[in-house]
């Protein structure tokens, strides 16, 4: 799987949009971009994923550049409960099971987002 | 609500004393995963089950074993815990390999 690069930390004012960048310059054509977050002392939580089109769900929006070498996760109105470590992960699309190592989530260091009152 | 449950949330064991962590799911997912997360580090996959098919990651120590007696339950056995095995252990499930993973709250293991 391609590696990702994220800033180690970011601050965001409560109520403002949080824009979390991720670089994945070696991403392959069959690799998706996934975002998970981990609130302190909890398990990671799936947020959103996409291949090349922008995606939106009830939690966030995902903007992927046309060359797919970077993406931005947008939390439109950050709240204190959004304070967490956000992980950007790229992973190949499922084309058939091949045992150990297939389709695993390889977590990088992530971005620690602090939402400030 | 469908969910992934881990018991206990906190486990204390002694150096070298076998310990078992449990995970159950009500999602009826085919795949169950065990991750290890040490302090201030990202989660690291230890192994996973796809139905009854067990898949061990190449760098998972032999000290770690797993059992999946049925679809709903999966256990992590640490045969002889060392001080370096103190960590948060996370269980996750997905409907299929490559699918969105749902994580439990984790079990924090302390080794004395």
């Amino acid at each position: 799987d391609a590696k990702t690069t994220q800033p180690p930390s970011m601050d965001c004012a409560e109520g403002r949009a949080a824009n979390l960048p991720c670089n994945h310059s070696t991403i392959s054509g069959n690799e998706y971009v996934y975002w998970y977050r981990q609130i302190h002392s909890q398990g990671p939580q799936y947020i959103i994923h996409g291949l090349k089109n922008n995606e939106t769900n009830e939690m966030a929006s995902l903007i992927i550049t046309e060359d797919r070498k970077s993406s931005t996760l947008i939390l439109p109105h950050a709240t204190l409960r959004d304070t967490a470590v956000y992980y950007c992960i790229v992973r190949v699309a499922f084309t058939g099971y091949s045992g150990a190592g297939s389709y695993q989530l390889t977590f990088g260091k992530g971005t620690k987002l602090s939402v400030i009152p | 609500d469908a969910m992934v449950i881990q018991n206990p949330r906190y486990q204390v064991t002694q150096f070298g004393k076998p310990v078992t962590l449990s995970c159950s799911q009500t999602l009826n997912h085919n795949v169950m995963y065990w991750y290890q997360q040490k302090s201030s580090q990202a989660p690291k996959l230890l192994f996973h089950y796809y139905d009854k098919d067990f898949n061990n990651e190449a760098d998972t120590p032999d000290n770690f074993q797993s059992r999946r007696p049925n679809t709903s339950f999966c256990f992590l056995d640490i045969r002889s815990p060392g001080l370096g095995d103190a960590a948060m252990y996370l269980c996750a499930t997905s409907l299929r390999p490559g699918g969105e993973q749902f994580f439990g709250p984790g079990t924090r293991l302390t080794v004395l």
Side-chain angles (χ1 to χ4, degrees):
Chain A
D1 287 347
K3 292 184 178 179
T4 61
T5 305
Q6 299 177 254
S9 64
M10 292 181 63
D11 291 341
C12 177
E14 188 178 16
R16 303 295 293 268
N19 297 286
L20 293 97
C22 179
N23 286 323
H24 31 79
S25 58
T26 59
I27 193 170
S28 300
N30 65 343
E31 289 180 316
Y32 285 78
V33 180
Y34 281 78
W35 284 84
Y36 281 74
R37 73 179 181 184
Q38 188 172 23
I39 296 169
H40 183 62
S41 296
Q42 296 183 22
Q45 177 190 23
Y46 166 82
I47 301 173
I48 198 167
H49 75 281
L51 184 63
K52 53 183 179 181
N53 297 322
N54 297 338
E55 302 288 344
T56 296
N57 62 20
E58 65 278 3
M59 290 183 67
S61 294
L62 174 61
I63 308 298
I64 303 174
T65 57
E66 192 168 341
D67 63 7
R68 302 209 323 121
K69 293 184 177 182
S70 65
S71 60
T72 302
L73 178 74
I74 301 172
L75 308 178
H77 305 286
T79 71
L80 298 179
R81 288 178 293 180
D82 293 322
T83 292
V85 177
Y86 286 77
Y87 295 101
C88 170
I89 301 164
V90 293
R91 188 171 67 173
V92 296
F94 181 75
T95 57
Y97 188 62
S98 58
S102 55
Y103 317 111
Q104 66 169 284
L105 292 175
T106 303
F107 290 84
K109 297 184 184 299
T111 296
K112 184 174 183 179
L113 175 69
S114 298
V115 180
I116 301 167
Chain B
D1 286 343
M3 56 175 56
V4 181
I5 302 161
Q6 290 189 247
N7 285 308
R9 293 294 310 278
Y10 300 90
Q11 176 74 56
V12 180
T13 190
Q14 292 180 329
F15 182 92
K17 184 174 181 180
V19 65
T20 295
L21 309 182
S22 71
C23 176
S24 63
Q25 54 130 340
T26 60
L27 297 160
N28 204 30
H29 281 175
N30 296 312
V31 192
M32 296 188 75
Y33 309 80
W34 279 103
Y35 288 82
Q36 179 192 63
Q37 186 175 25
K38 296 187 176 180
S39 181
S40 300
Q41 296 183 20
K44 180 179 180 301
L45 182 66
L46 295 172
F47 28 58
H48 74 274
Y49 272 96
Y50 179 24
D51 291 332
K52 297 181 180 179
D53 185 14
F54 175 71
N55 295 275
N56 199 36
E57 294 305 307
D59 55 355
T60 298
D62 292 340
N63 198 26
F64 292 86
Q65 303 288 322
S66 186
R67 296 170 284 134
R68 189 180 186 187
N70 53 54
T71 300
S72 300
F73 286 86
C74 194
F75 300 99
L76 169 62
D77 300 310
I78 308 177
R79 292 191 296 188
S80 182
L83 299 179
D85 296 327
M88 175 77 84
Y89 289 88
L90 295 160
C91 174
T93 73
S94 65
L95 181 61
R96 59 172 176 77
E100 170 188 338
Q101 291 187 20
F102 294 81
F103 284 80
T107 294
R108 184 167 295 282
L109 178 68
T110 300
V111 182
L112 301 178

